[in-house]
């Protein structure tokens, strides 16, 4: 598949939105990342040979170019998370596999100043529903460090099931780190995850 069904798309639920990542986000993305460096560094994938946080615009432009190319190839859906129309973070569905698997992995981060408002679980629920009911994926995984309790609460509140430890899966904050694999399939949410999240209420403290 060389095109993603229903992509690019903008999704909204109240004050929370998802829209495609674009080159014009370069400065707000960089400024938000730098301001949140201490908040994000313990959980962010890093390259063993290069620093994670830089002040230049080159790494962002390279990332967006790569993600947009992968989206055209049907391998990635890179979204900006918005709150009340403003940049709030990033959510990417990537490593998409078609054929008999129809699976993908999801990763996300949120501006620390906006944590605790239910933004991330709402955005993730919208993304899951789009992946399952528009794009046609069957399974989504979120791999999270055991120590990242806030991020784990997001997927646990949404009903992702824990499927075990992946030893030294990713290079994070200077070392190879274990991750817990959480997963969800379309059969788990036949009426949609966003409906399920609305029913549960969004008053929980989340990132």
């Amino acid at each position: 598949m060389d095109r993603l069904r229903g992509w690019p798309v903008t999704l909204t639920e109240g004050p929370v939105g998802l829209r495609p990542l674009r080159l014009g986000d370069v400065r707000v993305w960089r400024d938000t990342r730098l301001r949140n460096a201490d908040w994000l560094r313990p959980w962010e994938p890093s390259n063993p040979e290069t620093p994670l946080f830089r002040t230049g615009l080159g790494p962002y432009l390279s990332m967006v170019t790569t993600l947009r190319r992968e989206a055209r190839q049907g391998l990635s859906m890179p979204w900006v998370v918005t709150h009340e129309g403003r940049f709030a973070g990033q959510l990417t569905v990537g490593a998409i596999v078609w054929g008999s698997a129809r699976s993908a992995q999801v990763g996300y981060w949120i501006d620390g100043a906006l944590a605790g408002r239910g933004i991330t679980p709402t955005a993730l629920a919208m993304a899951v529903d789009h992946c399952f009911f528009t794009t046609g994926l069957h399974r989504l995984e979120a791999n999270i460090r055991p120590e990242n309790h806030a991020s784990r609460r997001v997927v646990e509140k949404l009903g992702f099931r824990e499927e075990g430890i992946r030893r030294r899966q990713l290079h994070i904050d200077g070392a190879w780190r274990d991750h817990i694999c959480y997963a969800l399939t379309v059969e788990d949410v036949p009426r949609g995850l966003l409906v399920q999240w609305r029913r549960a209420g969004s008053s929980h403290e989340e990132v």
Side-chain angles (χ1 to χ4, degrees):
M1 179 175 288
D2 58 0
R3 287 184 62 87
L4 289 164
R5 193 186 314 159
W7 180 265
V9 65
T10 297
L11 307 171
T12 59
E13 171 65 19
V16 181
L18 288 172
R19 63 164 175 78
L21 188 65
R22 53 192 183 224
L23 292 173
D25 295 313
V26 56
R27 295 191 183 280
V28 66
W29 185 92
R30 181 197 60 180
D31 293 346
T32 304
R33 298 277 299 180
L34 289 174
R35 179 164 43 82
N36 284 271
D38 291 340
W39 164 260
L40 297 173
R41 184 176 289 109
W43 322 119
E44 287 280 308
S46 53
N47 187 316
E49 300 174 354
T50 59
L52 176 62
F53 294 91
R54 299 179 178 179
T55 58
L57 304 182
Y60 174 83
L61 295 172
S62 176
M63 177 196 69
V64 176
T65 299
T66 298
L67 289 175
R68 285 158 64 97
R69 181 177 65 250
E70 290 179 352
R72 290 193 298 271
Q73 295 170 342
L75 303 176
S76 176
M77 285 181 276
W79 273 297
V80 162
V81 180
T82 62
H83 182 254
E84 297 180 344
R86 298 181 178 180
F87 187 100
Q90 184 177 346
L91 186 153
T92 300
V93 177
I96 297 175
V97 178
W98 294 100
S100 58
R102 288 187 172 264
S103 65
Q105 297 184 22
V106 61
Y108 47 83
W109 62 268
I110 190 77
D111 187 333
L114 297 172
R117 303 188 189 186
I119 297 170
T120 307
T122 300
L124 181 55
M126 287 193 292
V128 168
D129 285 352
H130 182 78
C131 288
F132 285 164
F133 303 113
T134 299
T135 303
L137 294 177
H138 175 255
R139 173 184 168 92
L140 287 176
E141 291 185 6
N143 294 292
I144 303 170
R145 285 188 60 185
E147 302 88 349
N148 193 348
H149 300 292
S151 191
R152 290 174 60 187
R153 282 199 302 273
V154 171
V155 292
E156 288 168 356
K157 291 291 186 181
L158 289 175
F160 281 68
R161 65 183 161 273
E162 183 177 330
E163 293 192 341
I165 293 285
R166 292 186 168 174
R167 300 294 181 188
R168 294 175 289 280
Q169 183 190 22
L170 289 174
H171 193 272
I172 304 286
D173 194 24
W176 296 99
R177 311 286 186 175
D178 294 348
H179 283 66
I180 299 175
C181 177
Y182 289 90
L184 200 67
T185 65
V186 68
E187 292 89 354
D188 298 320
V189 287
R191 295 179 178 83
L193 186 55
L194 187 58
V195 170
Q196 181 176 299
W197 170 240
R198 285 198 203 106
R199 288 176 179 171
S202 56
S203 60
H204 310 287
E205 283 194 4
E206 305 289 352
V207 295

PDB file of all heavy atoms in Angstrom, residues 55-79:
ATOM      1  N   THR A  55      19.615  23.063  19.275  1.00  0.00           N
ATOM      2  CA  THR A  55      18.983  24.360  19.082  1.00  0.00           C
ATOM      3  C   THR A  55      18.731  24.675  17.617  1.00  0.00           C
ATOM      4  O   THR A  55      17.943  25.552  17.302  1.00  0.00           O
ATOM      5  CB  THR A  55      19.850  25.478  19.683  1.00  0.00           C
ATOM      6  OG1 THR A  55      21.153  25.437  19.066  1.00  0.00           O
ATOM      7  CG2 THR A  55      20.011  25.292  21.179  1.00  0.00           C
ATOM      8  N   GLY A  56      19.363  23.963  16.693  1.00  0.00           N
ATOM      9  CA  GLY A  56      19.181  24.228  15.282  1.00  0.00           C
ATOM     10  C   GLY A  56      17.877  23.681  14.746  1.00  0.00           C
ATOM     11  O   GLY A  56      17.194  22.880  15.399  1.00  0.00           O
ATOM     12  N   LEU A  57      17.515  24.110  13.535  1.00  0.00           N
ATOM     13  CA  LEU A  57      16.277  23.667  12.908  1.00  0.00           C
ATOM     14  C   LEU A  57      16.476  22.437  12.030  1.00  0.00           C
ATOM     15  O   LEU A  57      15.509  21.788  11.650  1.00  0.00           O
ATOM     16  CB  LEU A  57      15.700  24.805  12.059  1.00  0.00           C
ATOM     17  CG  LEU A  57      15.438  26.124  12.795  1.00  0.00           C
ATOM     18  CD1 LEU A  57      14.821  27.132  11.832  1.00  0.00           C
ATOM     19  CD2 LEU A  57      14.548  25.916  14.003  1.00  0.00           C
ATOM     20  N   GLY A  58      17.724  22.105  11.709  1.00  0.00           N
ATOM     21  CA  GLY A  58      18.011  20.996  10.812  1.00  0.00           C
ATOM     22  C   GLY A  58      17.411  19.667  11.225  1.00  0.00           C
ATOM     23  O   GLY A  58      16.787  18.989  10.397  1.00  0.00           O
ATOM     24  N   PRO A  59      17.581  19.237  12.512  1.00  0.00           N
ATOM     25  CA  PRO A  59      17.016  17.943  12.901  1.00  0.00           C
ATOM     26  C   PRO A  59      15.504  17.874  12.723  1.00  0.00           C
ATOM     27  O   PRO A  59      14.970  16.838  12.321  1.00  0.00           O
ATOM     28  CB  PRO A  59      17.402  17.834  14.387  1.00  0.00           C
ATOM     29  CG  PRO A  59      18.620  18.685  14.517  1.00  0.00           C
ATOM     30  CD  PRO A  59      18.412  19.826  13.575  1.00  0.00           C
ATOM     31  N   TYR A  60      14.798  18.977  13.015  1.00  0.00           N
ATOM     32  CA  TYR A  60      13.348  18.977  12.833  1.00  0.00           C
ATOM     33  C   TYR A  60      12.981  18.832  11.364  1.00  0.00           C
ATOM     34  O   TYR A  60      12.117  18.024  11.003  1.00  0.00           O
ATOM     35  CB  TYR A  60      12.736  20.272  13.381  1.00  0.00           C
ATOM     36  CG  TYR A  60      11.261  20.375  13.079  1.00  0.00           C
ATOM     37  CD1 TYR A  60      10.332  19.752  13.901  1.00  0.00           C
ATOM     38  CD2 TYR A  60      10.804  21.042  11.949  1.00  0.00           C
ATOM     39  CE1 TYR A  60       8.985  19.802  13.613  1.00  0.00           C
ATOM     40  CE2 TYR A  60       9.454  21.089  11.647  1.00  0.00           C
ATOM     41  CZ  TYR A  60       8.544  20.488  12.490  1.00  0.00           C
ATOM     42  OH  TYR A  60       7.215  20.525  12.190  1.00  0.00           O
ATOM     43  N   LEU A  61      13.633  19.620  10.513  1.00  0.00           N
ATOM     44  CA  LEU A  61      13.325  19.556   9.088  1.00  0.00           C
ATOM     45  C   LEU A  61      13.598  18.164   8.528  1.00  0.00           C
ATOM     46  O   LEU A  61      12.824  17.653   7.707  1.00  0.00           O
ATOM     47  CB  LEU A  61      14.143  20.610   8.335  1.00  0.00           C
ATOM     48  CG  LEU A  61      13.818  22.067   8.685  1.00  0.00           C
ATOM     49  CD1 LEU A  61      14.819  23.006   8.019  1.00  0.00           C
ATOM     50  CD2 LEU A  61      12.399  22.419   8.281  1.00  0.00           C
ATOM     51  N   SER A  62      14.686  17.546   8.992  1.00  0.00           N
ATOM     52  CA  SER A  62      15.006  16.195   8.556  1.00  0.00           C
ATOM     53  C   SER A  62      13.939  15.209   9.020  1.00  0.00           C
ATOM     54  O   SER A  62      13.515  14.325   8.258  1.00  0.00           O
ATOM     55  CB  SER A  62      16.381  15.791   9.099  1.00  0.00           C
ATOM     56  OG  SER A  62      16.673  14.458   8.756  1.00  0.00           O
ATOM     57  N   MET A  63      13.489  15.348  10.283  1.00  0.00           N
ATOM     58  CA  MET A  63      12.469  14.453  10.814  1.00  0.00           C
ATOM     59  C   MET A  63      11.168  14.581  10.037  1.00  0.00           C
ATOM     60  O   MET A  63      10.555  13.576   9.644  1.00  0.00           O
ATOM     61  CB  MET A  63      12.208  14.770  12.286  1.00  0.00           C
ATOM     62  CG  MET A  63      11.093  13.925  12.901  1.00  0.00           C
ATOM     63  SD  MET A  63      10.478  14.600  14.463  1.00  0.00           S
ATOM     64  CE  MET A  63       9.649  16.094  13.893  1.00  0.00           C
ATOM     65  N   VAL A  64      10.721  15.826   9.795  1.00  0.00           N
ATOM     66  CA  VAL A  64       9.459  16.031   9.089  1.00  0.00           C
ATOM     67  C   VAL A  64       9.543  15.498   7.665  1.00  0.00           C
ATOM     68  O   VAL A  64       8.615  14.855   7.177  1.00  0.00           O
ATOM     69  CB  VAL A  64       9.066  17.522   9.086  1.00  0.00           C
ATOM     70  CG1 VAL A  64       7.805  17.734   8.254  1.00  0.00           C
ATOM     71  CG2 VAL A  64       8.823  17.999  10.505  1.00  0.00           C
ATOM     72  N   THR A  65      10.659  15.741   6.990  1.00  0.00           N
ATOM     73  CA  THR A  65      10.830  15.240   5.634  1.00  0.00           C
ATOM     74  C   THR A  65      10.725  13.721   5.608  1.00  0.00           C
ATOM     75  O   THR A  65      10.056  13.132   4.744  1.00  0.00           O
ATOM     76  CB  THR A  65      12.185  15.689   5.069  1.00  0.00           C
ATOM     77  OG1 THR A  65      12.235  17.119   5.035  1.00  0.00           O
ATOM     78  CG2 THR A  65      12.392  15.146   3.668  1.00  0.00           C
ATOM     79  N   THR A  66      11.373  13.068   6.573  1.00  0.00           N
ATOM     80  CA  THR A  66      11.339  11.604   6.647  1.00  0.00           C
ATOM     81  C   THR A  66       9.927  11.102   6.924  1.00  0.00           C
ATOM     82  O   THR A  66       9.440  10.173   6.259  1.00  0.00           O
ATOM     83  CB  THR A  66      12.293  11.096   7.741  1.00  0.00           C
ATOM     84  OG1 THR A  66      13.629  11.469   7.407  1.00  0.00           O
ATOM     85  CG2 THR A  66      12.208   9.584   7.873  1.00  0.00           C
ATOM     86  N   LEU A  67       9.240  11.718   7.913  1.00  0.00           N
ATOM     87  CA  LEU A  67       7.900  11.269   8.279  1.00  0.00           C
ATOM     88  C   LEU A  67       6.900  11.490   7.145  1.00  0.00           C
ATOM     89  O   LEU A  67       6.027  10.659   6.904  1.00  0.00           O
ATOM     90  CB  LEU A  67       7.435  11.975   9.548  1.00  0.00           C
ATOM     91  CG  LEU A  67       8.142  11.552  10.840  1.00  0.00           C
ATOM     92  CD1 LEU A  67       7.673  12.415  12.014  1.00  0.00           C
ATOM     93  CD2 LEU A  67       7.880  10.074  11.145  1.00  0.00           C
ATOM     94  N   ARG A  68       7.030  12.618   6.446  1.00  0.00           N
ATOM     95  CA  ARG A  68       6.120  12.883   5.327  1.00  0.00           C
ATOM     96  C   ARG A  68       6.343  11.882   4.194  1.00  0.00           C
ATOM     97  O   ARG A  68       5.394  11.433   3.543  1.00  0.00           O
ATOM     98  CB  ARG A  68       6.301  14.315   4.839  1.00  0.00           C
ATOM     99  CG  ARG A  68       5.682  15.352   5.778  1.00  0.00           C
ATOM    100  CD  ARG A  68       6.302  16.722   5.599  1.00  0.00           C
ATOM    101  NE  ARG A  68       6.061  17.281   4.288  1.00  0.00           N
ATOM    102  CZ  ARG A  68       5.087  18.155   4.004  1.00  0.00           C
ATOM    103  NH1 ARG A  68       4.259  18.538   4.957  1.00  0.00           N
ATOM    104  NH2 ARG A  68       4.947  18.650   2.792  1.00  0.00           N
ATOM    105  N   ARG A  69       7.608  11.516   3.945  1.00  0.00           N
ATOM    106  CA  ARG A  69       7.896  10.515   2.928  1.00  0.00           C
ATOM    107  C   ARG A  69       7.306   9.161   3.349  1.00  0.00           C
ATOM    108  O   ARG A  69       6.702   8.448   2.528  1.00  0.00           O
ATOM    109  CB  ARG A  69       9.402  10.389   2.720  1.00  0.00           C
ATOM    110  CG  ARG A  69       9.764   9.357   1.631  1.00  0.00           C
ATOM    111  CD  ARG A  69      11.256   9.302   1.375  1.00  0.00           C
ATOM    112  NE  ARG A  69      12.001   8.821   2.533  1.00  0.00           N
ATOM    113  CZ  ARG A  69      12.802   9.574   3.275  1.00  0.00           C
ATOM    114  NH1 ARG A  69      12.980  10.846   2.980  1.00  0.00           N
ATOM    115  NH2 ARG A  69      13.438   9.050   4.304  1.00  0.00           N
ATOM    116  N   GLU A  70       7.464   8.805   4.634  1.00  0.00           N
ATOM    117  CA  GLU A  70       6.904   7.547   5.110  1.00  0.00           C
ATOM    118  C   GLU A  70       5.378   7.550   5.017  1.00  0.00           C
ATOM    119  O   GLU A  70       4.769   6.511   4.731  1.00  0.00           O
ATOM    120  CB  GLU A  70       7.354   7.300   6.555  1.00  0.00           C
ATOM    121  CG  GLU A  70       8.837   6.971   6.679  1.00  0.00           C
ATOM    122  CD  GLU A  70       9.262   6.753   8.115  1.00  0.00           C
ATOM    123  OE1 GLU A  70       8.439   7.013   9.023  1.00  0.00           O
ATOM    124  OE2 GLU A  70      10.410   6.328   8.339  1.00  0.00           O
ATOM    125  N   ALA A  71       4.752   8.711   5.274  1.00  0.00           N
ATOM    126  CA  ALA A  71       3.296   8.795   5.155  1.00  0.00           C
ATOM    127  C   ALA A  71       2.858   8.540   3.712  1.00  0.00           C
ATOM    128  O   ALA A  71       1.869   7.841   3.464  1.00  0.00           O
ATOM    129  CB  ALA A  71       2.808  10.153   5.639  1.00  0.00           C
ATOM    130  N   ARG A  72       3.591   9.099   2.758  1.00  0.00           N
ATOM    131  CA  ARG A  72       3.252   8.872   1.350  1.00  0.00           C
ATOM    132  C   ARG A  72       3.409   7.398   0.983  1.00  0.00           C
ATOM    133  O   ARG A  72       2.717   6.897   0.089  1.00  0.00           O
ATOM    134  CB  ARG A  72       4.137   9.734   0.445  1.00  0.00           C
ATOM    135  CG  ARG A  72       3.833  11.227   0.524  1.00  0.00           C
ATOM    136  CD  ARG A  72       4.513  11.984  -0.616  1.00  0.00           C
ATOM    137  NE  ARG A  72       5.964  11.879  -0.561  1.00  0.00           N
ATOM    138  CZ  ARG A  72       6.756  12.729   0.110  1.00  0.00           C
ATOM    139  NH1 ARG A  72       6.224  13.728   0.784  1.00  0.00           N
ATOM    140  NH2 ARG A  72       8.066  12.569   0.088  1.00  0.00           N
ATOM    141  N   GLN A  73       4.309   6.717   1.673  1.00  0.00           N
ATOM    142  CA  GLN A  73       4.555   5.296   1.415  1.00  0.00           C
ATOM    143  C   GLN A  73       3.627   4.386   2.227  1.00  0.00           C
ATOM    144  O   GLN A  73       3.719   3.165   2.128  1.00  0.00           O
ATOM    145  CB  GLN A  73       6.013   4.955   1.742  1.00  0.00           C
ATOM    146  CG  GLN A  73       7.018   5.659   0.841  1.00  0.00           C
ATOM    147  CD  GLN A  73       8.450   5.495   1.325  1.00  0.00           C
ATOM    148  OE1 GLN A  73       8.695   5.140   2.486  1.00  0.00           O
ATOM    149  NE2 GLN A  73       9.404   5.762   0.444  1.00  0.00           N
ATOM    150  N   GLY A  74       2.751   4.982   3.033  1.00  0.00           N
ATOM    151  CA  GLY A  74       1.827   4.191   3.841  1.00  0.00           C
ATOM    152  C   GLY A  74       2.446   3.601   5.082  1.00  0.00           C
ATOM    153  O   GLY A  74       1.955   2.598   5.617  1.00  0.00           O
ATOM    154  N   LEU A  75       3.523   4.215   5.595  1.00  0.00           N
ATOM    155  CA  LEU A  75       4.264   3.649   6.721  1.00  0.00           C
ATOM    156  C   LEU A  75       4.175   4.468   8.002  1.00  0.00           C
ATOM    157  O   LEU A  75       4.650   4.023   9.043  1.00  0.00           O
ATOM    158  CB  LEU A  75       5.745   3.503   6.340  1.00  0.00           C
ATOM    159  CG  LEU A  75       6.040   2.659   5.101  1.00  0.00           C
ATOM    160  CD1 LEU A  75       7.527   2.688   4.799  1.00  0.00           C
ATOM    161  CD2 LEU A  75       5.554   1.225   5.315  1.00  0.00           C
ATOM    162  N   SER A  76       3.578   5.659   7.946  1.00  0.00           N
ATOM    163  CA  SER A  76       3.582   6.528   9.116  1.00  0.00           C
ATOM    164  C   SER A  76       2.443   7.536   9.038  1.00  0.00           C
ATOM    165  O   SER A  76       2.033   7.940   7.936  1.00  0.00           O
ATOM    166  CB  SER A  76       4.926   7.269   9.210  1.00  0.00           C
ATOM    167  OG  SER A  76       4.923   8.179  10.293  1.00  0.00           O
ATOM    168  N   MET A  77       1.915   7.940  10.214  1.00  0.00           N
ATOM    169  CA  MET A  77       0.948   9.022  10.317  1.00  0.00           C
ATOM    170  C   MET A  77       1.443   9.974  11.406  1.00  0.00           C
ATOM    171  O   MET A  77       1.223   9.745  12.585  1.00  0.00           O
ATOM    172  CB  MET A  77      -0.444   8.482  10.657  1.00  0.00           C
ATOM    173  CG  MET A  77      -1.147   7.820   9.483  1.00  0.00           C
ATOM    174  SD  MET A  77      -2.802   7.205   9.893  1.00  0.00           S
ATOM    175  CE  MET A  77      -2.361   5.604  10.598  1.00  0.00           C
ATOM    176  N   PRO A  78       2.159  11.036  11.033  1.00  0.00           N
ATOM    177  CA  PRO A  78       2.698  11.974  12.013  1.00  0.00           C
ATOM    178  C   PRO A  78       1.728  13.127  12.275  1.00  0.00           C
ATOM    179  O   PRO A  78       1.412  13.901  11.369  1.00  0.00           O
ATOM    180  CB  PRO A  78       3.983  12.474  11.339  1.00  0.00           C
ATOM    181  CG  PRO A  78       3.688  12.378   9.866  1.00  0.00           C
ATOM    182  CD  PRO A  78       2.703  11.264   9.682  1.00  0.00           C
ATOM    183  N   TRP A  79       1.240  13.235  13.510  1.00  0.00           N
ATOM    184  CA  TRP A  79       0.298  14.276  13.887  1.00  0.00           C
ATOM    185  C   TRP A  79       0.910  15.261  14.882  1.00  0.00           C
ATOM    186  O   TRP A  79       1.741  14.885  15.724  1.00  0.00           O
ATOM    187  CB  TRP A  79      -0.913  13.668  14.574  1.00  0.00           C
ATOM    188  CG  TRP A  79      -2.036  13.218  13.692  1.00  0.00           C
ATOM    189  CD1 TRP A  79      -2.810  13.993  12.880  1.00  0.00           C
ATOM    190  CD2 TRP A  79      -2.550  11.884  13.571  1.00  0.00           C
ATOM    191  NE1 TRP A  79      -3.769  13.218  12.257  1.00  0.00           N
ATOM    192  CE2 TRP A  79      -3.634  11.932  12.668  1.00  0.00           C
ATOM    193  CE3 TRP A  79      -2.197  10.661  14.145  1.00  0.00           C
ATOM    194  CZ2 TRP A  79      -4.380  10.801  12.313  1.00  0.00           C
ATOM    195  CZ3 TRP A  79      -2.923   9.544  13.816  1.00  0.00           C
ATOM    196  CH2 TRP A  79      -4.002   9.616  12.889  1.00  0.00           C
TER     197      TRP A  79
END
